[in-house]
Amino acid sequence: MNFACDTPEGNADDETAAQDAIRAQVIEQTKCVVVKVGTRVLTTNEGKLDLARVDLLAAQLARIADTGRQVIMVSSGAVGAGVAKLGLPTRPVGIARLQAVAAIGQADLIKAYENSLLRHGYQAAQVLLTKSDLRRRSGYLHVRNAINGIHEFGAIAVVNENDSVAVAELKTTFGDNDRLAAHVAGLFNDALLILLTDVHGLYDGHPDSDGSKKIELVRNLDGNVMSMAEDKSSAVSKGGMEGKLRASRLANSHGHPTIIGPGRQDDVLDQIFAGGRVGTLFIPPKRTLRGRRRWIGSAAVVQGSLHLDDGAARAICNQGRSLLAVGIERVEGTFSHGDVVSLIDRNEQEIARGLVNYRSHEISLIAGRSNTEIESILGHRPYENVIHRNNLVLRILAEEPAE
């Protein structure tokens, strides 16, 4: 999506009018809506699934779907549903017990959405994902095609992380449902990501502090904005706001606007699509990731790294060049042709990621050599470059620094 981000100089009324115009433009251009609702919104004080809240959200999702837009719900709440189903006094601790309770509660969670959506003429379709489902380009496309198929059948996809099998130690988890929602939004074009939480948006101070004001619109989600997510007086996260900002930054890198809004406001989605000044709107920069480069920058697993000299790093970052063998100083990891690798500068900073044209042991042999020497070393030279510019993504456009 493209937005008229520049606000003409003038008074506060001019700024408000400009922000309202941008919100209206966002809604007008949105063809796909990804709504993420968190555990704090979907559960009661006893930690059980709040069926009344599910009903309210389902009704609003249906009204959005009635406009012809594709609607996807990324929903927490499986553990809460499991707690209620098992009659547990509190939420359990320990990975194995949480995974078991989530598996037990998942059926009731999807049933709650199914019952609520059916009253408005829509089926609910359960989609359970792990990070590994998106690591390969083929899996990435299969997930997108499946969710598109759900929409074509007139149903609404209810997505959740597959908690019963996702394990952080194996790096198969997304980390949280905010990031999962951003990855799901990244599968589609002209998408709006809505993150519903227990606060009304991003504030310039702690939400509970006197004098703190909600920020209506963020044009550049930079380090200064990220720093607002932490209460420096207590070092306590503001309702998980840092994770939501990271998810918003990821969605913005794909060209998708994001709204962080109040999940406990009964008509929150209706108000957003009526153009109301609900929550905080984050609009994307002009440079965004598309197609295969979107997958490279955010979803693909990194199989190794190439350490570059200063000339190669400058050529990639400043001149839009491909990576040649002559600029490579060192190879780390074992990888094959077509894998995604990190590009590291002499300051040990990751500057880009890309799809390699050669295997790791081949690159080790030709590192630092000119193109004219490659064939004599390897016996063949199928590619002029190690990574073509079209298969390379600068990290300033990608999700976050490498793990």
Side-chain angles (χ1 to χ4, degrees):
M1 298 184 187
N2 296 312
F3 306 100
C5 302
D6 297 329
T7 303
E9 295 183 4
N11 56 31
D13 290 339
D14 293 332
E15 170 68 15
T16 298
Q19 292 180 5
D20 289 345
I22 291 173
R23 283 183 178 265
Q25 187 179 5
V26 166
I27 299 305
E28 180 183 0
Q29 295 183 10
T30 294
K31 296 179 181 179
C32 174
V33 184
V34 179
V35 179
K36 180 268 176 177
V37 59
T39 300
R40 293 184 183 182
V41 173
L42 270 187
T43 54
T44 66
N45 292 334
E46 295 77 30
K48 299 178 180 179
L49 185 64
D50 188 341
L51 295 177
R53 183 64 55 191
V54 173
D55 283 340
L56 287 168
L57 289 170
Q60 294 172 85
L61 293 173
R63 285 192 282 273
I64 297 171
D66 287 343
T67 67
R69 295 180 173 94
Q70 182 171 7
V71 178
I72 301 163
M73 168 62 89
V74 176
S75 178
S76 301
V79 173
V83 167
K85 191 171 188 176
L86 295 169
L88 301 178
T90 59
R91 178 187 175 98
V93 295
I95 293 176
R97 289 177 63 82
L98 280 170
Q99 288 177 316
V101 172
I104 293 168
Q106 189 65 47
D108 280 12
L109 178 65
I110 195 65
K111 183 190 297 183
Y113 278 107
E114 174 79 358
N115 291 339
S116 296
L117 287 170
L118 278 175
R119 286 195 282 272
H120 304 280
Y122 290 92
Q123 299 278 349
Q126 179 176 259
V127 179
L128 298 177
L129 297 175
T130 66
K131 193 172 183 178
S132 58
D133 295 321
L134 303 182
R135 283 179 171 176
R136 292 293 177 188
R137 178 69 174 162
S138 59
Y140 184 91
L141 296 175
H142 287 323
V143 171
R144 184 179 69 185
N145 292 340
I147 296 177
N148 278 334
I150 290 168
H151 173 61
E152 290 168 4
F153 277 115
I156 292 177
V158 180
V159 180
N160 198 353
E161 185 158 18
N162 195 347
D163 293 318
S164 62
V165 299
V167 180
E169 287 81 355
L170 298 180
K171 296 186 178 180
T172 59
T173 68
F174 290 94
D176 55 62
N177 272 352
D178 295 316
R179 186 178 299 183
L180 169 59
H183 278 289
V184 170
L187 295 168
F188 305 98
N189 295 322
D190 299 321
L192 167 64
L193 175 62
I194 302 174
L195 303 174
L196 297 181
T197 183
D198 56 349
V199 295
H200 285 262
L202 177 65
Y203 285 76
D204 58 7
H206 195 284
D208 296 333
S209 299
D210 293 337
S212 291
K213 296 182 180 179
K214 181 169 71 75
I215 299 172
E216 300 292 339
L217 180 70
V218 174
R219 292 178 170 84
N220 182 18
L221 214 173
D222 56 14
N224 291 330
V225 177
M226 291 296 299
S227 67
M228 296 180 185
E230 185 179 343
D231 178 5
K232 294 179 175 57
S233 63
S234 63
V236 175
S237 171
K238 299 178 182 179
M241 185 58 69
E242 182 177 1
K244 289 171 179 56
L245 292 183
R246 289 184 180 277
S248 300
R249 186 169 64 183
L250 174 57
N252 281 179
S253 76
H254 297 158
H256 301 329
T258 303
I259 294 175
I260 298 176
R264 293 190 180 276
Q265 179 178 321
D266 290 350
D267 62 348
V268 57
L269 298 179
D270 287 338
Q271 287 299 315
I272 286 173
F273 278 84
R277 302 177 74 215
V278 178
T280 301
L281 170 63
F282 301 82
I283 54 178
K286 293 181 180 179
R287 295 180 64 197
T288 59
L289 299 174
R290 295 288 177 182
R292 182 175 63 253
R293 297 178 71 245
R294 179 182 295 180
W295 169 76
I296 293 169
S298 63
V301 62
V302 175
Q303 301 286 5
S305 60
L306 303 177
H307 292 254
L308 312 184
D309 63 25
D310 290 339
R314 283 194 301 270
I316 287 169
C317 293
N318 302 327
Q319 300 170 17
R321 301 286 183 83
S322 299
L323 175 64
L324 303 180
V326 68
I328 300 172
E329 295 185 328
R330 181 161 53 91
V331 180
E332 285 189 4
T334 302
F335 47 84
S336 300
H337 166 266
D339 282 343
V340 174
V341 299
S342 295
L343 303 186
I344 311 296
D345 66 15
R346 282 181 170 170
N347 296 320
E348 294 299 316
Q349 298 297 313
E350 183 184 37
I351 59 171
R353 291 180 180 179
L355 293 176
V356 288
N357 289 329
Y358 292 92
R359 291 173 289 181
S360 53
H361 78 273
E362 292 176 320
I363 299 176
S364 295
L365 294 173
I366 62 176
R369 302 298 189 94
S370 67
N371 278 8
T372 58
E373 298 176 273
I374 292 177
E375 187 169 1
S376 63
I377 296 171
L378 299 181
H380 63 105
R381 192 182 72 180
Y383 300 97
E384 293 292 321
N385 42 68
V386 175
I387 300 178
H388 191 276
R389 185 67 192 184
N390 291 343
N391 293 326
L392 191 150
V393 178
L394 296 180
R395 291 306 288 157
I396 58 172
L397 290 178
E399 176 181 3
E400 58 188 46
E403 296 177 355

